[in-house]
Each structure stands twice: as C-alpha cells, then as structure tokens.
C-alpha cells in the first residue's frame, strides 16, 4: 500500500488519541519508520502490523480499527487530499456508489503502482444497492465497511450495511448490501 494509507492511520491515531499513543503503537508494531512518504509504496504487512498494534494499544478489535480507519479515510484523508476527485464521483451516496467502479481508474493515474480493488454494483434500487468488492488482499472487508459508512457521513445519508457474501465463507468476493432512507 502507498504511504498515504499508513500516514492516514498515523493521523487518525495522533488526532484522536495523541502523539504518545502513536509512538507506543509504532513500538508495539515493530515498524522502524520515522515517517511515511505518501507517494511511496510500502509492503502491505506494515499496514496490517499498524492495525494490529492500534487494536492492542487502544483496546479495540481489529474490525473496529479497520472500520474507524475506513470512515477516517473518507471523511478526512480523501476529502482533504482528493476533494475535487471525490466531488466528481457523484452528488449523493447512490450516485457515488454507482460511479465507484470507475473511481480507481482515476486514482491509478496518481499512483501508478497501485493494486486497487475492483468494485461492481448490482440490484440498484431507490433505497439500496449491492456493492461487490473484489481484491487480491484479504482481511479488508471491515475497512470497506468503514469506507461505505464514511461515504454515508460525507453525503449526510445514514446507511445500513450488511455483508451478504464473503470470502471468509468460501465465496469468490464480498457483497455488501448498502441501504439508506430517502
């Protein structure tokens, strides 16, 4: 993953829990990095080590950490770093989710070494959509849940997110049913 991901985890922790907790997390994780360069590619293992260390240090489950990070990524990191790109995705939650399959094509212009997930949508209705998540990386479905929750916050649209299919149970990919009220 790119350094911007690890930097966002650092920002989430330092802003919400303080710099000392971040130092404790770095020590607990065993990662020997003083800072992360946003445009530099880092091994995925670093990101997972950080998530596990945050979980232990903050007495949270790894799922809670990934969800919180997904929300943070949308609400803070993406809107601050990619505001215009985020606005181009749609004017409401439904529109953004429908356009999501094209989103990473634009991101790859910024980060050419990116190995992005793939999203597809199905069963689009007035109040819900099925979001299909395909990734070579395992263990990130709760991060995706957090991203969806963050989009709901961004668009001021309370959402209900149900994981209706998962690789954890032998399926080929995850499917989230995202519902909202009009």
């Amino acid at each position: 993953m790119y350094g911007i991901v690890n930097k966002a985890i650092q920002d989430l922790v330092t802003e919400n829990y303080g710099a000392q907790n971040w130092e404790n997390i770095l020590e607990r994780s065993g990662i020997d990095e003083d800072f992360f360069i946003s445009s530099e590619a880092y091994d995925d293992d670093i990101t997972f080590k950080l998530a596990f260390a945050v979980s232990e240090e903050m007495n949270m489950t790894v799922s809670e950490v990934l969800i919180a990070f997904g929300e943070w990524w949308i609400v803070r990191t993406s809107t601050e770093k990619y505001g215009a790109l985020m606005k181009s995705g749609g004017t409401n939650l439904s529109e953004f989710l429908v356009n999501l399959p094209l989103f990473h094509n634009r991101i790859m212009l910024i980060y050419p070494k990116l190995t992005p997930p793939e999203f597809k949508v199905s069963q689009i209705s007035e109040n819900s959509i099925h979001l299909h998540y395909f990734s070579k990386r395992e263990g990130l479905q709760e991060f995706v849940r957090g991203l969806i929750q963050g989009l709901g916050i961004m668009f001021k649209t309370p959402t209900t997110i149900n994981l209706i299919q998962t690789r954890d149970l032998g399926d080929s990919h995850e499917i989230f049913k995202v519902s909202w009220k009009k």
Side-chain angles (χ1 to χ4, degrees), residues 20-149:
Q20 184 57 54
N21 278 319
W22 175 250
E23 292 302 320
N24 296 345
I25 287 164
L26 272 181
E27 186 176 320
R28 187 182 289 265
S29 71
I31 295 169
D32 190 26
E33 296 283 341
D34 292 330
F35 58 89
F36 297 102
I37 300 169
S38 294
S39 59
E40 186 73 29
Y42 292 83
D43 192 294
D44 289 355
D45 192 46
I46 290 174
T47 307
F48 285 109
K49 284 180 180 179
L50 288 173
F52 283 106
V54 170
S55 168
E56 292 171 352
E57 185 71 24
M58 306 314 300
N59 197 26
M60 301 168 69
T61 67
V62 174
S63 290
E64 290 170 332
V65 170
L66 291 173
I67 290 168
F69 178 56
E71 282 186 12
W72 178 269
W73 182 261
I74 294 296
V75 174
R76 291 295 296 273
T77 305
S78 67
T79 53
E80 289 176 3
K81 305 284 186 194
Y82 311 109
L85 188 59
M86 293 298 287
K87 287 180 183 176
S88 73
T91 59
N92 59 52
L93 178 62
S94 176
E95 198 175 286
F96 194 95
L97 291 174
V98 167
N99 291 329
L100 190 56
L102 303 173
F103 194 76
H104 280 111
N105 292 339
R106 291 182 235 147
I107 295 291
M108 286 174 56
L109 296 173
I110 300 168
Y111 298 105
K113 296 178 187 174
L114 182 69
T115 306
E118 183 180 348
F119 291 96
K120 293 183 181 180
V121 293
S122 68
Q123 300 194 19
I124 302 166
S125 75
E126 186 177 334
N127 293 18
S128 69
I129 192 168
H130 284 194
L131 182 65
H132 299 251
Y133 166 66
F134 302 85
S135 179
K136 293 178 183 176
R137 295 178 171 102
E138 293 187 27
L140 291 176
Q141 64 257 31
E142 293 306 301
F143 175 66
V144 174
R145 181 186 300 275
L147 292 172
I148 298 165
Q149 288 178 190

Side-chain angles (χ1 to χ4, degrees), residues 154-172:
M154 186 176 100
F155 287 110
K156 297 176 177 58
T157 305
T159 60
T160 302
I161 304 160
N162 294 308
L163 183 61
I164 59 175
Q165 178 179 301
T166 177
R167 289 180 283 175
D168 292 346
L169 298 176
D171 296 303
S172 62

